[in-house]
Amino acid sequence: MNRICLLLLLTITSNLLAQEKQPLNHDVYDSWKDIEEQGISRDGKFIKYAINPQEGDGLLIITDNVGNVLSEVPRAKGSSFSYNSQFLVAKIAAQHDTVRAQKLAKVKKDKLPKDSLLIINLEDQRIEKVARVKNFEMPEKASGWLAYQLEKPIKEKKEPVDTTELTIEERATLDSLAEKKPEGSKLVIKNLQENREFTVDNVRKYEWAQKEAKIFFVLQNEEDSLKDVGIFSLNLENGERILIDSAYQNYGDFGVENNGRSIAFLATEDSAKATYKVFSLFLAESGKEAVRIVDTLSSGMRQQWMVSEHIKPRFSEDGNKLFFGTAPSHVKHQYAQDTTILDEERVSLDIWSHHDEDLQPMQLVNQEKDRQKQHLAVYHIKDKKLIQLGDETLENVVLDKDARLEKILATDNSAYKGAYSWDIQIGRDVYIVDLKSGDRQKISEAVKGYPSLSPEGNFVSWFDQQDSTWVIYDIKQKKANYIAKELSVNFYIEDHDSPSLPGSYGEAGWLKDDNAFLVYDKYDVWQFDPKGKKAPTNLTDGKGRADSVQYRVQKLDREKEYLDSQQPLILTAFHENNKKAGYARGKWQGAAPETIVFSDHYFSSFEKAELADNILLRRSTFQEFPELYTTQLSDFDLKQITETNPQQSDYLWGSAELTSWNAADGQKIQGLLFKPENFDPSKQYPMMVYFYEKNSDGLHRYRAPAPSASIINISYFVSNDYLVFVPDIVYERGLPGPSAYNCIVPGVLSMIDKGFVDNENIAIQGQSWGGYQVAHLVTRTNMFKAAGAGAPVANMTSAYGGIRWGTGMSRMFQYEQTQSRIGGTLWEKPMLYIENSPLFYADRIETPVLIMHNDKDGSVPWYQGIEFFMALKRNEVPTWLLVYNGEDHNLKLRKNRKDLSIRLSQYFDHYLKGAPAPAWMEEGLPATEKGKTLKYELMD
């Protein structure tokens, strides 16, 4: 057979196979699955992962360390390995279809099927299940024990009590019992290795010690709120309950010392229903009676302050210090307490004041958090001394991870907070707080960065955005070292393009004993002596910058706060131009990295076993789902252990490629072009154009078919014979709209020049910032046959003074400093606001526009979509506004996501493929038919 015949045969075969495949449709979403809950046991012998559909019942799979399946359990979730790697525990959800059927039958919530408990013995794969389990916990760093709490038994419906013969007092007693909500339920404490267990009724909350198998719990009897109330521990030898305290009516949160030698708890004489409760802090040391150690009258407690119920007590690592919260005492407002005023007579209003540090909407969003505001304090157990660490003038006091240091870091932004609505890069004063004395040492003022304490507490580090350099403050020497200032390399983000101070490329962390601090430039890893005595070391020897490869440190030990230089130095690697990625091996003393794996893939979810060299990671391309791989640290010989979506082979898919062109101003721009699977360069295809800032780095990311939260699903459109073009955008400050035009339109023209784009059938779609750019582009060009704009800002002049209702912040900062990139106030640069606002040029628009803007959008005010819609309607431009009731900026409810996906495809199919228009486009959806029909049907 000659070469021409062979090629012809292969082409025919390929076309036949392609014809057998089906394009993706909206019914396939539920069949596409993802990998969740991946994990590896501490000893590296076992792997777990769940294969879960987008909606429905998943499957938990347990394998050995090379992927051989040992167990499969349907519907398991929240799985955890035991500390000794001998057991796996999880919950098993009720069947999705069963729950759905019962909800359709209007079964009450407490009667719906409940979760079960799964226990797998990993040595022999024996499985045990327990019905109706509410939660479970294992000791974090101790083995052999499990505690789980059962749901309450379903109570039989009781016959109504005849109250005609009862006195008023008896009726009141019955009413109070009826209102009483059950507090506790049965707790089971199980020895997994010896298969013995103990049970305790009416447990409200429980907790293990972290490093020892010791358990503590609070009891609350639902039948009698004064009976068996108290805090207890359990003797795990004989199941005997050990009373710690039962003198109080209401017990709050509690904390256990790491080894279980002590417990601290909150308690009050006030009932759970009391409007104002005053708690005290108690300490029970091993074998000793519980002692009240802090209350409102304690030495060191500020006047009119009290113990807060909203901070869980916490012991220091050595058990000698106890951290807890304090707060000003409850203010009993006379107006609120006045029982002579009816609810309908009470005034309800918001007062916005120029004195407010936080705008009134921010206060309303945060009011519950503000009501629970508390300040950190410490009680020195041996010295019996209370030290207040934080207060109204120093609210942000942060403990180190293990609460083991004698000094902690605190910041105060109160002097700068009032400007936050328009200056999100406000300064903060930085303090070191001494735990023994409470003394505060201010180490810097107005820092525009985010300080952090080194693992051993010797240094504070931050990236100074004002000076564009890293700072290390030596606490003992009281001296700041500007460690990177003299180097010719930039440590700020070099392509920062918004009118704000650029941030850094980040830090890798500290070496053991605070011996060195590692930070990144755009490409390489640098090691600095925190004392400034040794010259900086480029750990990657400049190879990153020379090769345009970004190297970053891959942390191997999740438990350690520091980087362990006794372990190999593994680096992630990413080529900024061709988008290849992988891993390399470096040297702690500095050397050019040696490539381990480097390919046309996207790598993610790296995880190493704590006690072994076994590694899990995921790898993908646009065509290959990010499957799970196992390997060894020594060789990185990847072995695939999952095949998650084999059904993909039944559907037309496509390919992704990197493309580039020159912007209108001559800049080199990159983007992505997605082509159908059976792409024929001699044909012309309709093309969708989607954009949001820069996306080209995501060349090798898989895009699962899924109902849309706001944007087109690329896989769906490519499978349905569209090209999808995703251009990057480089911005010029003050010109966000023209910048989009400068990059996108030449990019589209470069695609047309390739000869396979149908230039009569091109559309654009974007959401949020992308929605704004869509709105701007259709005022500048008619090259697009249709457009989709999700949550667009149409009028920067009105949006500038609006509120982001999700946070309560003013939108000013966005225009002056961040994404909108105007770089000044409305009164400083009024013409830039107008020139960049599509609304003022709406009379130029001829392109049909589909808008989605939801009535609970917390990011872009809903009225922006309304302004844009009304302008288009007034100018007789075909336009539709989709408003999903109660939905936020991006759709959360799956039913709405499916609906949007259908409408997006119908809309673009109509304009770009000549498909019949659906009824909702032709007729709208009258309010009288809302909820009665979806109007998907296509019109003749």
Side-chain angles (χ1 to χ4, degrees):
M1 185 181 292
N2 63 38
R3 185 171 180 270
I4 294 176
C5 292
L6 178 60
L7 287 173
L8 181 61
L9 179 61
L10 289 173
T11 302
I12 293 171
T13 304
S14 176
N15 289 336
L16 287 172
L17 288 173
Q19 289 170 12
E20 292 174 1
K21 295 184 178 183
Q22 299 297 313
L24 293 168
N25 59 64
H26 300 298
D27 295 328
V28 308
Y29 299 140
D30 292 344
S31 68
W32 239 263
K33 300 177 178 63
D34 198 3
I35 296 174
E36 298 174 348
E37 296 194 35
Q38 76 169 62
I40 188 166
S41 59
R42 291 181 68 242
D43 63 5
K45 292 182 179 179
F46 301 99
I47 293 168
K48 69 180 181 73
Y49 56 90
I51 304 293
N52 293 335
Q54 296 175 22
E55 185 175 53
D57 297 328
L59 183 71
L60 180 70
I61 299 173
I62 315 299
T63 77
D64 61 18
N65 60 8
V66 292
N68 297 311
V69 175
L70 303 175
S71 292
E72 296 182 344
V73 185
R75 309 187 312 281
K77 62 181 182 178
S79 55
S80 296
F81 286 117
S82 63
Y83 188 69
N84 61 5
S85 303
Q86 293 180 11
F87 297 89
L88 179 137
V89 184
K91 290 172 75 174
I92 300 178
Q95 286 185 327
H96 177 267
D97 290 345
T98 301
V99 174
R100 186 175 184 277
Q102 294 200 14
K103 285 182 177 179
L104 283 172
K106 308 298 182 185
V107 173
K108 290 183 178 180
K109 186 176 180 180
D110 61 344
K111 299 286 181 67
L112 290 173
K114 303 300 181 184
D115 293 345
S116 300
L117 184 73
L118 166 74
I119 304 170
I120 300 180
N121 186 320
L122 297 172
E123 293 180 350
D124 56 17
Q125 297 302 305
R126 280 184 296 125
I127 291 178
E128 179 182 352
K129 296 179 182 179
V130 182
R132 294 180 59 81
V133 171
K134 183 161 54 174
N135 54 55
F136 72 88
E137 292 289 342
M138 289 184 285
E140 185 177 337
K141 294 184 178 180
S143 301
W145 288 91
L146 164 71
Y148 58 89
Q149 198 167 13
L150 298 174
E151 297 278 0
K152 289 183 172 301
I154 299 174
K155 289 190 174 181
E156 297 297 327
K157 187 174 181 180
K158 295 182 179 179
E159 293 295 324
V161 178
D162 184 359
T163 61
T164 55
E165 303 296 325
L166 298 181
T167 66
I168 293 176
E169 291 78 9
E170 289 170 333
R171 290 179 187 177
T173 300
L174 275 179
D175 290 341
S176 67
L177 287 172
E179 292 174 2
K180 188 181 296 298
K181 291 185 177 180
E183 290 288 341
S185 64
K186 187 185 293 291
L187 178 71
V188 179
I189 301 98
K190 183 180 183 69
N191 187 303
L192 295 170
Q193 292 166 315
E194 300 175 10
N195 199 27
R196 58 188 176 91
E197 62 184 37
F198 308 107
T199 61
V200 184
D201 290 329
N202 304 314
V203 172
R204 184 157 57 88
K205 61 177 66 176
Y206 65 95
E207 182 173 324
W208 289 100
Q210 283 191 21
K211 297 180 179 180
E212 295 287 339
K214 296 182 180 179
I215 194 167
F216 300 81
F217 48 88
V218 172
L219 296 187
Q220 183 73 54
N221 191 313
E222 67 177 273
E223 303 299 335
D224 184 348
S225 63
L226 300 179
K227 179 183 177 183
D228 285 340
V229 179
I231 190 160
F232 299 79
S233 65
L234 192 76
N235 185 322
L236 296 181
E237 294 296 323
N238 56 24
E240 178 186 352
R241 289 189 306 185
I242 302 170
L243 175 65
I244 294 172
D245 191 85
S246 63
Y248 297 92
Q249 188 173 355
N250 187 15
Y251 287 85
D253 221 334
F254 63 88
V256 180
E257 188 267 336
N258 284 341
N259 294 296
R261 293 171 296 201
S262 303
I263 179 174
F265 59 91
L266 304 174
T268 178
E269 289 89 349
D270 301 315
S271 72
K273 291 185 178 181
T275 304
Y276 299 104
K277 295 186 281 289
V278 179
F279 280 87
S280 297
L281 178 65
F282 294 80
L283 174 67
E285 298 180 274
S286 182
K288 297 181 181 178
E289 188 175 332
V291 178
R292 188 197 306 256
I293 56 173
V294 181
D295 60 17
T296 55
L297 302 177
S298 295
S299 175
M301 178 69 75
R302 300 192 177 182
Q303 286 193 343
Q304 304 300 313
W305 278 41
M306 63 182 187
V307 175
S308 170
E309 63 180 298
H310 301 300
I311 286 189
K312 175 185 174 70
R314 178 186 177 186
F315 287 89
S316 60
E317 188 180 52
D318 61 11
N320 293 327
K321 295 181 286 292
L322 181 58
F323 299 94
F324 63 101
T326 61
S329 300
H330 301 298
V331 177
K332 299 181 180 180
H333 298 285
Q334 183 177 353
Y335 185 69
Q337 299 294 306
D338 191 340
T339 58
T340 67
I341 302 174
L342 293 171
D343 287 344
E344 65 224 49
E345 296 172 340
R346 292 191 180 275
V347 177
S348 178
L349 86 161
D350 304 325
I351 298 179
W352 298 40
S353 170
H354 67 98
H355 296 295
D356 294 342
E357 287 185 350
D358 291 338
L359 293 179
Q360 189 70 201
M362 290 183 71
Q363 295 179 42
L364 293 171
V365 169
N366 296 321
Q367 60 181 318
E368 188 59 32
K369 184 175 73 174
D370 289 341
R371 285 194 192 103
Q372 297 181 7
K373 188 175 288 184
Q374 61 281 312
H375 305 285
L376 190 67
V378 62
Y379 182 81
H380 293 272
I381 295 172
K382 292 181 179 178
D383 298 334
K384 298 182 179 180
K385 185 179 181 181
L386 166 64
I387 299 293
Q388 187 67 48
L389 301 175
D391 54 29
E392 300 100 321
T393 64
L394 197 63
E395 291 187 355
N396 188 23
V397 181
V398 183
L399 281 177
D400 59 284
K401 179 177 176 286
D402 294 320
R404 61 188 177 84
L405 302 178
E406 295 300 323
K407 295 182 186 293
I408 58 175
L409 184 68
T411 58
D412 173 30
N413 65 5
S414 58
Y416 320 98
K417 195 175 179 182
Y420 188 60
S421 283
W422 52 87
D423 181 9
I424 61 168
Q425 294 181 310
I426 59 172
R428 49 189 53 81
D429 298 337
V430 186
Y431 295 81
I432 295 296
V433 182
D434 187 282
L435 294 184
K436 290 183 179 178
S437 64
D439 291 343
R440 302 168 178 179
Q441 173 195 349
K442 184 189 286 189
I443 64 173
S444 191
E445 290 185 343
V447 168
K448 287 183 181 288
Y450 300 92
S452 62
L453 197 63
S454 63
E456 295 303 318
N458 297 310
F459 305 96
V460 180
S461 63
W462 67 88
F463 182 77
D464 191 318
Q465 294 172 327
Q466 197 78 48
D467 290 335
S468 296
T469 190
W470 281 95
V471 180
I472 296 181
Y473 183 88
D474 188 320
I475 294 173
K476 292 180 182 177
Q477 298 298 322
K478 298 183 179 181
K479 179 184 176 183
N481 296 312
Y482 291 78
I483 59 173
K485 203 166 187 177
E486 303 304 320
L487 294 173
S488 59
V489 174
N490 297 323
F491 288 87
Y492 62 85
I493 297 175
E494 294 177 6
D495 55 357
H496 181 72
D497 61 3
S498 67
S500 57
L501 297 171
S504 74
Y505 288 103
E507 62 181 85
W510 291 83
L511 295 188
K512 189 176 182 181
D513 299 325
D514 293 352
N515 285 330
F517 183 55
L518 276 61
V519 301
Y520 304 125
D521 69 17
K522 185 175 183 179
Y523 301 101
D524 291 298
V525 185
W526 291 79
Q527 178 176 293
F528 290 93
D529 173 13
K531 295 182 179 294
K533 295 180 180 179
K534 298 178 183 178
T537 301
N538 188 323
L539 289 185
T540 46
D541 199 32
K543 184 174 174 58
R545 188 167 293 273
D547 296 344
S548 297
V549 173
Q550 297 172 352
Y551 289 110
R552 299 295 182 253
V553 175
Q554 175 65 65
K555 193 170 184 181
L556 300 182
D557 194 325
R558 292 166 291 170
E559 293 294 315
K560 292 176 181 175
E561 290 184 79
Y562 57 86
L563 298 169
D564 191 347
S565 59
Q566 299 303 307
Q567 291 186 325
L569 174 58
I570 302 299
L571 304 162
T572 63
F574 175 77
H575 198 292
E576 70 168 351
N577 295 325
N578 62 31
K579 315 305 178 185
K580 287 187 175 183
Y583 297 92
R585 201 179 303 276
K587 294 183 178 180
W588 290 104
Q589 64 269 28
E594 298 176 4
T595 299
I596 302 172
V597 57
F598 199 58
S599 58
D600 288 314
H601 293 91
Y602 173 70
F603 293 86
S604 63
S605 306
F606 183 101
E607 183 178 351
K608 177 185 169 296
E610 186 177 342
L611 304 178
D613 284 345
N614 301 75
I615 292 170
L616 281 180
L617 56 82
R618 296 176 72 176
R619 189 186 78 175
S620 71
T621 67
F622 172 66
Q623 296 169 314
E624 300 172 16
F625 176 84
E627 301 290 1
L628 200 57
Y629 290 78
T630 181
T631 186
Q632 293 286 316
L633 192 61
S634 57
D635 57 19
F636 266 80
D637 182 17
L638 300 179
K639 174 181 171 58
Q640 182 178 333
I641 62 171
T642 57
E643 186 181 7
T644 308
N645 290 296
Q647 80 282 2
Q648 180 178 316
S649 62
D650 298 331
Y651 296 95
L652 295 169
W653 200 252
S655 61
E657 64 184 50
L658 195 64
T659 185
S660 63
W661 64 96
N662 290 326
D665 64 1
Q667 292 187 78
K668 195 77 169 178
I669 306 295
Q670 288 187 316
L672 304 178
L673 179 62
F674 298 87
K675 296 176 178 178
E677 180 173 320
N678 52 349
F679 175 75
D680 181 351
S682 66
K683 288 177 55 178
Q684 288 195 326
Y685 294 83
M687 185 169 76
M688 292 296 308
V689 184
Y690 165 78
F691 37 79
Y692 191 99
E693 303 228 352
K694 294 181 180 179
N695 287 279
S696 61
D697 285 355
L699 171 65
H700 298 304
R701 294 198 180 206
Y702 184 83
R703 289 163 169 83
S708 171
S710 57
I711 65 173
I712 61 168
N713 181 270
I714 291 175
S715 299
Y716 173 89
F717 276 86
V718 173
S719 178
N720 282 272
D721 229 27
Y722 284 88
L723 296 167
V724 178
F725 176 49
V726 185
D728 283 352
I729 304 170
V730 176
Y731 292 94
E732 183 179 349
R733 297 180 187 185
L735 300 172
S739 296
Y741 184 93
N742 174 59
C743 298
I744 294 169
V745 171
V748 172
L749 292 174
S750 75
M751 296 300 107
I752 293 173
D753 287 343
K754 293 178 183 293
F756 47 70
V757 175
D758 181 353
N759 64 351
E760 296 295 325
N761 289 293
I762 303 173
I764 50 173
Q765 198 272 335
Q767 162 73 7
S768 190
W769 181 238
Y772 156 72
Q773 291 165 126
V774 167
H776 176 85
L777 285 174
V778 295
T779 69
R780 299 280 304 274
T781 178
N782 290 325
M783 72 187 303
F784 303 111
K785 197 170 183 180
V793 166
N795 181 357
M796 288 191 175
T797 65
S798 60
Y800 172 78
I803 297 293
R804 295 177 70 95
W805 294 107
T807 60
M809 288 181 65
S810 164
R811 291 178 55 81
M812 291 180 175
F813 77 91
Q814 180 159 338
Y815 297 89
E816 296 179 33
Q817 289 189 332
T818 63
Q819 194 171 53
S820 297
R821 296 176 169 87
I822 298 299
T825 66
L826 180 60
W827 41 96
E828 290 170 337
K829 300 186 177 183
M831 293 312 298
L832 285 180
Y833 281 85
I834 292 171
E835 290 168 10
N836 284 281
S837 294
L839 189 73
F840 293 100
Y841 308 97
D843 59 332
R844 302 176 182 176
I845 301 174
E846 298 178 9
T847 307
V849 183
L850 174 64
I851 307 165
M852 183 192 78
H853 212 147
N854 305 317
D855 54 14
K856 293 298 181 183
D857 193 319
S859 299
V860 177
W862 180 37
Y863 58 71
Q864 287 294 312
I866 296 172
E867 287 190 50
F868 192 41
F869 173 81
M870 290 306 302
L872 293 167
K873 178 179 172 63
R874 177 67 184 273
N875 285 286
E876 298 183 346
V877 178
T879 184
W880 299 262
L881 173 60
L882 307 179
V883 181
Y884 291 93
N885 301 150
E887 282 276 25
D888 203 336
H889 192 56
N890 293 291
L891 297 176
K892 294 181 179 178
L893 298 178
R894 189 170 177 81
K895 62 179 181 181
N896 293 335
R897 291 183 173 193
K898 286 184 175 181
D899 181 84
L900 175 64
S901 299
I902 292 170
R903 297 188 196 280
L904 282 173
S905 63
Q906 288 183 333
Y907 172 75
F908 288 117
D909 281 353
H910 171 65
Y911 277 107
L912 271 64
K913 289 187 171 182
W920 64 269
M921 286 179 64
E922 290 288 332
E923 302 172 351
L925 181 62
T928 54
E929 297 183 32
K930 181 178 178 179
K932 299 176 182 178
T933 179
L934 295 172
K935 292 211 167 187
Y936 293 152
E937 60 273 16
L938 302 180
M939 307 294 285
D940 293 330

